[in-house]
Amino acid sequence: MREITLSQAVNEALAEEMRRDPTTFILGEDVAEAGTPFKVLSGLVEEFGTERVIDTPISEPGFVGLAVGAALTGARPIVDLMFGDFIYLVMDQLCNQAAKQQYMSGGKLSVPMVLRTNLGATRRSGAQHSQSLQVLVAHIPGLKVALPSSAYEAKGLMKTAIRDNNPVVIIEDKLMYQDKAPVPEEEYLIPFGEANIKREGSDITLIGTSSMVQVAEEAARILEAEGISAEVIDPRTIVPLDEDTLLKSVRKTSRAIVIDEGHQNYGITGEIASRLNEKAFYYLDAPVLRMGAMDVPVPFSPVLEDLTVPTPERVAENARRLCAGEMIHAA
Amino acid sequence: MTSKTKTKTKTNTSPNKHDYLRMYTQMVRIRTFEDNANQLYLAGKMQGLTHMYSGEEAVAVGICEALNDNDRITSTHRGHGHCVAKGANYKEMFCELLGKQEGYCRGKGGSMHIADQSHGNLGANAIVGGSMGIATGSALRAKLLGQDDVTVCFFGDGATAQGLLYEVMNMAALWNLPVIYACENNGYSEYTKTEEIAAGSITARAEAFGIEAFSIDGQDVLGVNELSRKLVARCRNGEGPFFVELMTYRYHGHHVGDINREYYRSKKEEADWKENRDPIIRFRGWLVEQGIATEEEIEALNEQIKQDAKEAVAYAEAAAYPDVAEVDMHVYAETDPATLQAGN
Ligand SMILES: Cc1ncc(C[n+]2csc(CCOP(=O)(O)OP(=O)(O)O)c2C)c(N)n1
Ligand SMILES: [Mg+2]
C-alpha cells in the first residue's frame, strides 16, 4: 500500500469531503495561500478558492462563533485552530454555543462543525504552544473528540468528523505531521467509538491516545524482548469511548496502563482508568495505572521538557513493575 | 564602553548627547542580538522557533527610552527587542534562548517568554494579544495604589483582531488608566497583509473609545521618543490612556524558519525598507550630521557591541542546563504561612 504523511492524509480527507459536499468550507488563520504554518492545507485554496478556504483575522472566538452560526443554519464548517493551546480562547463558543444547541433545543438544532487543532510537547515551543488539552473538550457533553494516531486514522476520522452531525474536535499531534503510514487509495471512513487493537498480548494492556500509541507500541517491543506480552489499544475517539474493547482486553490481561499526553491530574488517563476499575474490578491483578504529562506547564529548556512526557522506557518500566506484582504509584 | 545598561530613574528632561548615544547603542544591541539568535538557530544550536525584531528597533527603543525602571511593559512573541530596550543583559538573554539555568526565566520560558522582570518587563507572550489585559491591569494597579508608573502594551497589527483589546480599551478609557497601547504595524500578520485582516483604520478603533490616538513613522527613533515622552508625562498626569500606531517593518520572515516568503512579500519591498528606511542607518546619519559622534566612534561602538554579543553567546553555550529537579519547581508561588493565621 502507498504511504503518505499525516499531513497529506488530512489534506486528502478535507479535499475529498469538500468535493463531496458543497456546504463544507474551511475557516482559520493563514489557511489559504500559506496552507497553515504546518503546511497541512497546502493546495486546497487552488482547488476550492478563497470562498471556501477562508483566511481570517486573528480572532479565534469570532471565527469559531461564525462556524457555529453557519453550522446551525445548514453549512458544514471546518475550523482550523492553529495551536491546540488557543482552545482556551474559544471555550465559550465551543462549549456554551456549539455543544449545547442540540440539547437546549430539544433535538431541533444541530451544529455539524469540525474544529481541527493539535497537541504535543517536545517541540521546544514553550508553555503556550505545547499543551495537550483534549480533556477540556472531552469533559463537555455534546462535543465529540477524536485523536488520530497515524496518517491512516487522521484521514478516516476526519472524514467521519465532517459527516457527523455534531461539533467534533479533532486533535492531531503536531510532531507527527511528517510521519508516514500506509493509507489506501480507496475511500474509507473510520467510525467513531471503535477502538483499534494495534497489537495483541496477554500480560498487560497498554491504552494510548494519539502519539502515545507509538509510545505504547515501542514499550510493547521492549517488553516483548523480556518475555512480557503487551496488548496495545488505540481508542481513536475518546468521546465516544469504546469501553467494550478496552474492558474485554483488560479482563483478559488483568493489568492496564493508560497513556495520554495531557496533564495527568484530573485527566483523560484518570477517566479511562476509573471506568476500567469500575467495570473490570474483579478481573484486575493490579491497579490501573495512569501515565499523563507531568503536572507542570511545559518548560522550554530541552532538558526539562523531555522529562514531562511519557516515554517508551518509562511505560515499559511501569509495565514491568505491574507485571511483577508491585503495587506502584503512578510514575 | 560596556553594553550593560544602567538603571534609569529620570526621563523628564529632553534628551542630551548621552541619551542619543544610548538610543543608538540600544538599537544596535537589538539588531546584533537578533543576528546572533538567527545564527544560533541556523547552526542548530537553538531549538524551537524565534521571531526576529530586526527592522523594528526604533519602536522599542524610542518608547523604552521614554520610560524609567518603574514603568512596565508587556511584550509579544517578537519580544527580544522589547527585552533589550527595557534594559536586559545579553548574557541572561542568550542563556534563556538556549534553555540554560542562568537565563532570565531559568530556561523555562525560552524565546517567546523572555523577559528581564527586574526592569519592569512583565513578560513576552506567545498568545497574540494575550498581554492586553495584563498591561491594562498593571495600569489599574498604578491608579488604585497611587503609584505614578506608566505601562506600555506592545502588540502587533494582527493583534488588533483580538476582541480583548476592545474590552480593555473601554475600561482604560472609562477609568483614565496610565497605559499606552503601542501597535507595531509591520504590515503583516504572519503570512497575510494587514489590509486583508484589518478593516477600516486602526487608530479609529481607539478613537471610538475617546482615546487619543496617533499614527507615526516607527523607523524614526527621535520622533517615536519625542511622542512617547509627551504621552508618558501626560499619563503620569492622569491623562491616559493613549494609543500609538507605529508604522514599521520586520526584516526577517515571520519566524526564523519562514525563508521562502515571496508568495506573500516581494524581495523588492524588503529591499526598499532595508535600504531606504532603516532606523539605525537613519539615526546614525543624524548623529554624525549633528556632530554627536564621528563615523569612527560609531564604528567602534558597533564593534564593541558585536564583541559583547560574541562573548555572551560563548558564555551561554558553555553554561549549564537547569538541574532536572527544577522541572516541577515554580508551579505554585509560596505563601508565607504566617499571613494565613487569623488575626494577621
Ligand atoms: C491567539 C493566537 N492566535 C494565533 C497565534 C499564532 N500567531 C503567532 S504570531 C501571529 C501573527 C501576529 O501578527 P502581529 O500581531 O501583526 O505581530 P507580528 O508577528 O507581525 O509582530 C500569529 C497568527 C497566536 N500565537 N496566538
Ligand atoms: Mg504584524
Side-chain angles (χ1 to χ4, degrees):
Chain A
M1 201 186 293
R2 68 171 181 152
E3 297 209 336
I4 59 173
T5 64
L6 193 146
S7 173
Q8 289 168 318
V10 173
N11 192 297
E12 277 190 10
L14 294 170
E16 287 175 18
E17 292 305 302
M18 287 177 76
R19 277 174 217 137
R20 176 182 168 273
D21 181 351
T23 71
T24 54
F25 64 91
I26 295 174
L27 202 59
E29 293 155 20
D30 279 316
V31 292
E33 283 77 11
T36 78
F38 295 103
K39 305 294 168 204
V40 177
L41 305 186
S42 294
L44 293 180
V45 73
E46 278 81 19
E47 178 171 355
F48 300 103
T50 49
E51 302 276 287
R52 291 180 71 199
V53 183
I54 307 172
D55 273 343
T56 65
I58 316 175
S59 305
E60 289 83 3
F63 63 74
V64 173
L66 298 192
V68 178
L72 207 55
T73 52
R76 282 184 183 268
I78 302 153
V79 174
D80 184 287
L81 190 67
M82 195 184 296
F83 280 85
D85 309 66
F86 308 158
I87 215 156
Y88 299 125
L89 282 96
V90 306
M91 283 304 264
D92 181 67
Q93 297 307 316
L94 209 52
C95 304
N96 274 326
Q97 312 310 333
K100 298 172 174 44
Q101 292 295 347
Q102 164 76 9
Y103 193 82
M104 292 192 302
S105 67
K108 297 208 175 76
L109 298 177
S110 60
V111 183
M113 64 176 271
V114 175
L115 183 117
R116 61 168 288 272
T117 188
N118 52 44
L119 59 75
T122 68
R123 203 171 154 265
R124 319 305 180 213
S125 303
Q128 296 172 338
H129 278 63
S130 307
Q131 299 166 87
S132 301
L133 298 174
Q134 49 272 29
V135 70
L136 299 186
V137 278
H139 187 63
I140 306 303
L143 300 178
K144 295 189 178 179
V145 186
L147 302 176
S149 60
S150 80
Y152 177 78
E153 274 78 21
K155 182 167 182 189
L157 291 171
M158 179 60 77
K159 287 172 68 84
T160 304
I162 294 169
R163 297 188 198 184
D164 196 288
N165 280 337
N166 295 280
V168 177
V169 181
I170 181 158
I171 312 180
E172 298 145 11
D173 188 318
K174 58 175 110 63
L175 285 103
M176 283 172 52
Y177 281 127
Q178 297 316 316
D179 291 0
K180 288 191 170 180
V183 174
E185 309 258 5
E186 318 77 64
E187 179 174 49
Y188 66 96
L189 281 81
I190 299 177
F192 283 1
E194 264 188 32
N196 183 24
I197 301 175
K198 298 283 290 188
R199 176 191 176 110
E200 298 210 12
S202 52
D203 297 326
I204 185 164
T205 303
L206 305 178
I207 301 163
T209 62
S210 183
S211 58
M212 293 300 115
V213 174
Q214 268 105 70
V215 168
E217 285 183 300
E218 185 53 36
R221 280 190 285 274
I222 298 173
L223 292 164
E224 184 177 38
E226 304 167 13
I228 297 174
S229 160
E231 180 145 303
V232 175
I233 305 186
D234 171 12
R236 301 202 285 206
T237 54
I238 50 174
V239 183
L241 182 70
D242 179 2
E243 270 186 17
D244 289 346
T245 301
L246 304 184
L247 285 168
K248 213 168 134 213
S249 172
V250 172
R251 286 182 184 131
K252 176 179 75 176
T253 62
S254 77
R255 300 175 189 91
I257 301 179
V258 192
I259 313 144
D260 176 82
E261 213 186 318
H263 295 300
Q264 185 165 297
N265 280 352
Y266 299 96
I268 300 291
T269 56
E271 173 63 22
I272 296 177
S274 173
R275 293 202 207 182
L276 300 178
N277 282 330
E278 284 169 13
K279 294 178 183 167
F281 185 70
Y282 284 108
Y283 296 84
L284 292 173
D285 285 341
V288 177
L289 215 65
R290 299 165 300 146
M291 289 185 74
M294 203 178 259
D295 291 300
V296 303
V298 180
F300 164 72
S301 188
V303 296
L304 301 183
E305 186 176 26
D306 288 344
L307 300 172
T308 64
V309 293
T311 60
E313 294 70 30
R314 290 197 276 268
V315 173
E317 170 63 13
N318 280 336
R320 217 172 276 136
R321 293 171 72 186
L322 277 188
C323 290
E326 292 175 34
M327 296 286 287
I328 57 172
H329 298 292
Chain B
M1 156 112 221
T2 159
S3 69
K4 197 161 174 165
T5 54
K6 300 199 187 67
T7 302
K8 290 188 298 160
T9 45
K10 276 212 301 285
T11 50
N12 295 341
T13 48
S14 46
N16 55 30
K17 181 181 161 172
H18 170 82
D19 299 324
Y20 290 133
L21 282 176
R22 192 185 140 95
M23 277 186 218
Y24 178 81
T25 305
Q26 289 291 69
M27 287 205 287
V28 177
R29 287 184 72 237
I30 294 174
R31 182 77 53 91
T32 308
F33 183 88
E34 296 298 47
D35 288 345
N36 280 274
N38 196 32
Q39 279 312 312
L40 284 168
Y41 172 80
L42 293 175
K45 292 179 177 170
M46 191 201 116
Q47 300 190 42
L49 279 184
T50 180
H51 307 78
M52 304 275 95
Y53 198 74
S54 313
E56 308 189 10
E57 294 87 351
V59 175
V61 172
I63 292 177
C64 291
E65 286 298 302
L67 303 174
N68 64 44
D69 277 349
N70 291 326
D71 295 318
R72 316 298 165 95
I73 64 165
T74 61
S75 172
T76 68
H77 58 284
R78 199 175 300 291
H80 305 165
H82 310 131
C83 192
V84 170
K86 199 67 176 70
N89 297 323
Y90 270 175
K91 201 169 97 178
E92 290 89 334
M93 281 187 74
F94 281 117
C95 280
E96 190 60 38
L97 277 196
L98 299 183
K100 301 299 177 78
Q101 199 240 316
E102 285 179 75
Y104 276 119
C105 311
R106 301 181 80 86
K108 284 182 162 149
S111 162
M112 283 203 285
H113 303 289
I114 195 165
D116 167 17
Q117 299 80 6
S118 68
H119 284 90
N121 186 345
L122 296 176
N125 209 308
I127 300 300
V128 166
S131 71
M132 292 161 171
I134 296 173
T136 312
S138 166
L140 175 63
R141 175 269 320 152
K143 183 168 180 182
L144 292 180
L145 303 188
Q147 295 163 345
D148 82 340
D149 61 280
V150 172
T151 304
V152 175
C153 179
F154 287 103
F155 56 90
D157 47 283
T160 62
Q162 288 284 323
L164 179 62
L165 178 60
Y166 306 97
E167 303 190 11
V168 300
M169 283 202 301
N170 185 37
M171 288 184 271
L174 281 172
W175 304 333
N176 280 110
L177 301 182
V179 55
I180 298 172
Y181 299 101
C183 177
E184 307 179 305
N185 188 343
N186 58 12
Y188 294 85
S189 136
E190 275 191 1
Y191 322 109
T192 305
K193 284 196 184 347
T194 309
E195 63 251 33
E196 290 168 26
I197 46 104
S201 122
I202 286 185
T203 47
R205 288 157 163 70
E207 284 161 354
F209 296 99
I211 297 176
E212 219 176 302
F214 305 80
S215 185
I216 64 169
D217 180 1
Q219 306 307 84
D220 168 17
V221 72
L222 288 176
V224 174
N225 184 251
E226 194 186 330
L227 178 66
S228 303
R229 279 186 290 112
K230 278 188 195 139
L231 299 184
V232 168
R234 289 179 62 192
C235 270
R236 292 204 212 287
N237 200 28
E239 294 172 50
F242 297 101
F243 188 102
V244 187
E245 178 187 26
L246 302 115
M247 308 311 288
T248 185
Y249 202 75
R250 63 162 157 79
Y251 286 177
H252 293 258
H254 171 60
H255 54 66
V256 281
D258 173 25
I259 294 177
N260 299 320
R261 49 181 181 270
E262 273 175 275
Y263 71 94
Y264 74 85
R265 200 170 91 164
S266 73
K267 287 212 162 111
K268 191 164 158 281
E269 179 188 297
E270 294 187 1
D272 180 47
W273 279 85
K274 286 183 193 170
E275 286 156 24
N276 303 320
R277 304 182 65 171
D278 183 75
I280 296 178
I281 297 177
R282 271 171 76 175
F283 191 48
R284 174 184 172 142
W286 185 84
L287 289 174
V288 174
E289 209 179 275
Q290 299 292 312
I292 295 170
T294 63
E295 288 288 351
E296 295 70 43
E297 284 165 342
I298 285 180
E299 279 308 318
L301 199 57
N302 292 353
E303 214 29 63
Q304 178 63 49
I305 293 168
K306 267 198 196 122
Q307 197 52 37
D308 289 347
K310 206 173 145 198
E311 282 165 23
V313 167
Y315 183 91
E317 284 188 54
Y321 281 110
D323 190 281
V324 293
E326 294 216 7
V327 70
D328 59 359
M329 274 167 60
H330 312 120
V331 179
Y332 298 97
E334 304 252 339
T335 305
D336 177 0
T339 67
L340 302 177
Q341 302 287 318
N344 267 6

